Amino acid sequence: MMDHIFRGALAGAKATTAMSGVMLAGDRLGLMRDQPPKRIVRALLPGHPRTPKQGEKPLAVLMHYAFGAGAGALLALVTRGRGASWPVGAAYGLAIWLASYEGWVPAVAAMPPVHRDQPGRPLVMAAGHVVFGSVLAGSLRKNA
C-alpha cells in the first residue's frame, strides 16, 4: 500500500508539472490574470483574501504540487497501483476541477465559481485538469 501511495504521489507531481504548462500557456495568451494556486494561498493566509502576501508565490507552487501529489496518491490507492485508462484519468482530473472550483475554492473566497469566473480561465483550467488526469493515469499504468 505504501508503494502505491509513493508511486501515486510521484505520478501526481509529474502530472502537476504538465498541468502547470497548460496554465502558464493560458496566462501568456491572456486568458488568466492570476494563477489560481497563488490566489488560493493568498485567500488562505491571514489578512484580506485579495491582498498580496509575502512569500505567496513559492508557497503556491509548493501547495499546488502537494495537492497534485495527494490526488495522485489517492488514484493509485483506488486503482490498487494498476493505474487507469486515459479517459478515466481525464474524468478524474475534471472531477477534481469541478469539486474544487465550484466548491471549496469559492468557499474560501479565493476565486468565483466556474460559472461566474472571467471568460477564458475556466477553459484553461478544465484543459489543465484533463491534462493532469491523463498524464497521471498514464504514469501510473506505465509504472504498474
Side-chain angles (χ1 to χ4, degrees):
M1 182 170 93
M2 290 306 291
D3 183 55
H4 297 330
I5 292 171
F6 181 72
R7 288 186 314 109
L10 287 178
K14 177 181 177 181
T16 300
T17 299
M19 176 186 176
S20 296
V22 173
M23 293 166 60
L24 291 172
D27 187 33
R28 288 197 174 103
L29 291 171
L31 299 173
M32 299 184 2
R33 278 182 276 150
D34 273 336
Q35 291 294 324
K38 184 172 78 175
R39 293 197 47 191
I40 292 167
V41 165
R42 183 179 289 170
L44 293 173
L45 289 173
H48 191 277
R50 289 192 176 80
T51 302
K53 315 287 190 326
Q54 185 175 4
E56 69 185 22
K57 189 172 181 177
L59 190 55
V61 171
L62 180 64
M63 187 248 356
H64 195 223
Y65 274 91
F67 193 91
L74 179 61
L75 186 62
L77 278 175
V78 169
T79 64
R80 295 187 181 132
R82 293 186 305 263
S85 66
W86 77 262
V88 170
Y92 181 66
L94 281 174
I96 292 169
W97 172 65
L98 279 174
S100 298
Y101 291 88
E102 282 290 332
W104 69 268
V105 172
V108 300
M111 298 174 60
V114 172
H115 65 276
R116 288 195 358 244
D117 203 355
Q118 68 184 36
R121 184 168 36 217
L123 178 63
V124 172
M125 294 307 296
H129 281 82
V130 166
V131 167
F132 171 84
S134 300
V135 170
L136 174 61
S139 294
L140 289 173
R141 270 194 331 275
K142 180 179 159 190
N143 295 322

